[in-house]
Amino acid sequence: MQPMNTTSKMQLQCPMPKFDFEIITLGHGSGGVLTSKLLDEMILSQFSNDLLDKKHDGAIIPIEKGRLAFSTDSFVVSPLFFPGGNIGDLAINGTVNDLAMCGAMPKYLSLSFIIEEGLKVTDFWQVIQSLKKAAEVAGIQIVTGDTKVVEKGKGDQLFINTSGIGLVHEKANIDAQRIEIGDKIIVSNSIAHHGMAIMSVREGLQFESEIKSDSCAVNYIITELLDQFGDKIKLLRDPTRGGVATVLNEIAEDINKGVFIEESKIIIDENVAGACELMGLDPLFVANEGVFIAIISPEIETEALAIIQKHEKAQKAFCIGSIVTENPKKVVIQSEMGGKRMISKLIGEQLPRIC
Amino acid sequence: MQPMNTTSKMQLQCPMPKFDFEIITLGHGSGGVLTSKLLDEMILSQFSNDLLDKKHDGAIIPIEKGRLAFSTDSFVVSPLFFPGGNIGDLAINGTVNDLAMCGAMPKYLSLSFIIEEGLKVTDFWQVIQSLKKAAEVAGIQIVTGDTKVVEKGKGDQLFINTSGIGLVHEKANIDAQRIEIGDKIIVSNSIAHHGMAIMSVREGLQFESEIKSDSCAVNYIITELLDQFGDKIKLLRDPTRGGVATVLNEIAEDINKGVFIEESKIIIDENVAGACELMGLDPLFVANEGVFIAIISPEIETEALAIIQKHEKAQKAFCIGSIVTENPKKVVIQSEMGGKRMISKLIGEQLPRIC
């Protein structure tokens, strides 16, 4: 699948220097002169910091006593470029958000490329620029990395793994087992943008207003919530693959309590809802990349929503429902007409390679 | 490329349970029920520990004040199975050794799979068993992970990323800038096994005695060296892609001094040397996966070699040469006949997808 005419593809953030190669070859992954050249000219120069510049097999990080969060994600999104982002910012935001969901402030990331021979240097450069910008926005450093190249037809342009280390907020006590009946379920923004942005590109659909991925880092919002409310934040999860419905099902199973949500409270932008309807997809199962779900004590609902909504990428935060005694391990949704039904986890593939 | 009739392929370490799927499908990567099934039955059950079992987006690790080492590597080796190992133990040993090269004791690993649709469950199970065994041998825990599936023809069976966290030995002061004229260059075992094992499978070559990969974890040897000699260990590097010659060139460039080695001192097993000759490869450029290079103070040479040689996987440790003033930034080798020549970094591809 080829990148479409997307805004992200248009905005080169930094003029590309002149390289004496136009595509990545197998030699760039063999550990010799070409590998050094690729690393020095395209990668290390862009992410320079004291830890990375040592160019050792790993980074050495001085650390205080405390709790670390450690997370990993491989990104295989197709196409590489989509409205609202590309695999680069997705790879940063994905791991940053996973760390934030642990109640941590993300600090250090590793960056590992698996490149298919023939990847255009212009595309790679653009992804690197997005990685760089997203890292700056999230306030994290790339401190170690790896680059491999596979033969044409043995990969798909570019896969990226990011792994990350964060420092757990001293007030954080994120633990599903602390969730009680009556706790509120907050969703930090309107849903289903990322999945539908990818699908609209794949299917070549045009809507009145372009559907953009919501890919963004939510770590600063989480830090503010933990600063303010500490252990009243019981659980944080990001509804990526499988969407809100799958995460809520996982939570219900885990805590052996019921999850009750109201359809009328779910916020979905009009163009996203239209696209879902057109493609026969339930937005509750569609992936998000800049949304988090927080399970919180009921008494902080109003104040927590106000804090979240201050952030540009979370202005539509809403309370979707609460934890209940009825139907343990199940998610029940009350429709706008008043009827109730169970919603289960995503079965099989809805949107492969969404992230 | 298909796995050959190798010993590693024959030794199933643990009988495989009955799964109700024979191949991995796209649905196994979509975040829903099938993903949970794959994770629970094949992966989480095998690596169970307190940190991983939380099944959160990341692991939370209590930590004392000190220095962390953090490293990442993606493994794309082809074929997946080769004499002496497979992609599973390679993925553990590679990152464990990278951490050890930082002077660290490896503790926690992340594990991320990119699976090509159609991967046989029997193959995947065997890789998982190797990952498990190698993790046990190296004394590390898998604490977080990720699994993605890509369409047939968009990957090559299985790629694995491991990232790792280690605690830097309190006596370690690994720093190339501390290297002085006269420091000795130790190589921890006979060289070129891994690269030649892979090549012999790829080329379908049969030798009198099978060439096996040297893939193993060297972390315990490093810990013992640091316990004993502290900052007299100046630099540690593992000569993987690009081999011993490429690493020595990188060191020479970095320290702006000369590296002088003697051909007569290099230990290469007879069958490996024969295979190299047959294929026209210089063993100094061939990848190793269980060998390290240590630059050490000259006064500890004999004692350090004795400690290294006690370990089963390093019985042939040898001193290959020393750091000199002549030819700064260059590696000079004295041939067995007495002549001297420069050896440079590997240019382009010698052995793609060796790790």
Side-chain angles (χ1 to χ4, degrees), chain A residues 29 32-33 36 56-57 59 61 63 66 68 70-71 73-74 101 112 146-148 151 163 238 241 345-346 353, chain B residues 29 32-33 36 56-57 59 61 63 66 68 70-71 73-74 101 112 146-148 151 163 241 345-346 353:
Chain A
V33 171
S36 299
H56 206 298
D57 288 322
I61 305 167
I63 205 105
L68 286 186
F70 180 34
S71 186
D73 240 328
S74 286
M101 296 306 104
S112 178
D146 180 48
T147 302
K148 295 284 172 12
E151 306 90 333
S163 301
D238 55 342
R241 284 184 289 178
K345 276 190 197 180
L346 179 64
R353 298 185 61 190
Chain B
V33 171
S36 300
H56 206 297
D57 289 322
I61 304 167
I63 206 104
L68 286 186
F70 180 33
S71 187
D73 240 329
S74 286
M101 296 305 105
S112 178
D146 180 49
T147 302
K148 296 283 172 11
E151 306 90 333
S163 301
R241 283 183 290 178
K345 277 191 197 178
L346 179 64
R353 300 186 59 189

Side-chain angles (χ1 to χ4, degrees), chain A residues 26-27 29-34 36 56-74 76 98 101-102 108-110 112 114 143-151 153-156 159 161 163 165 168 174 235-238 241-242 246 345-349 353 355, chain B residues 26-27 29-34 36 56-74 76 98 101-102 108-110 112 114 143-151 153-156 159 161 163 165 168 174 235-238 241-242 246 345-349 353 355:
Chain A
L26 279 178
S30 294
V33 171
L34 287 177
S36 299
H56 206 298
D57 288 322
I60 308 289
I61 305 167
I63 205 105
E64 297 299 316
K65 183 179 163 72
R67 289 174 293 167
L68 286 186
F70 180 34
S71 186
T72 190
D73 240 328
S74 286
V76 299
D98 278 349
M101 296 306 104
C102 298
Y108 307 104
L109 252 59
S110 65
S112 178
I114 299 176
V143 296
T144 191
D146 180 48
T147 302
K148 295 284 172 12
V149 183
V150 298
E151 306 90 333
K154 300 294 184 185
D156 194 12
F159 301 145
N161 176 282
S163 301
I165 294 178
V168 178
I174 306 298
L235 188 67
L236 297 163
R237 290 289 303 274
D238 55 342
R241 284 184 289 178
T246 300
K345 276 190 197 180
L346 179 64
I347 295 176
E349 77 223 64
R353 298 185 61 190
C355 61
Chain B
L26 278 179
S30 294
V33 171
L34 287 177
S36 300
H56 206 297
D57 289 322
I60 308 289
I61 304 167
I63 206 104
E64 296 298 316
K65 183 179 164 73
R67 289 174 294 167
L68 286 186
F70 180 33
S71 187
T72 190
D73 240 329
S74 286
V76 299
D98 278 348
M101 296 305 105
C102 298
Y108 307 104
L109 252 59
S110 65
S112 178
I114 299 176
V143 296
T144 190
D146 180 49
T147 302
K148 296 283 172 11
V149 183
V150 298
E151 306 90 333
K154 300 294 185 185
D156 194 11
F159 301 144
N161 176 281
S163 301
I165 294 177
V168 178
I174 306 296
L235 189 67
L236 296 163
R237 290 288 304 272
D238 55 343
R241 283 183 290 178
T246 300
K345 277 191 197 178
L346 179 64
I347 296 178
E349 77 221 66
R353 300 186 59 189
C355 61

Side-chain angles (χ1 to χ4, degrees), chain A residues 186 229 296-309:
Chain A
I186 304 290
F229 304 114
I296 62 171
S297 292
E299 69 269 24
I300 64 165
E301 178 188 336
T302 311
E303 214 184 331
L305 276 175
I307 285 180
I308 299 170
Q309 287 164 348

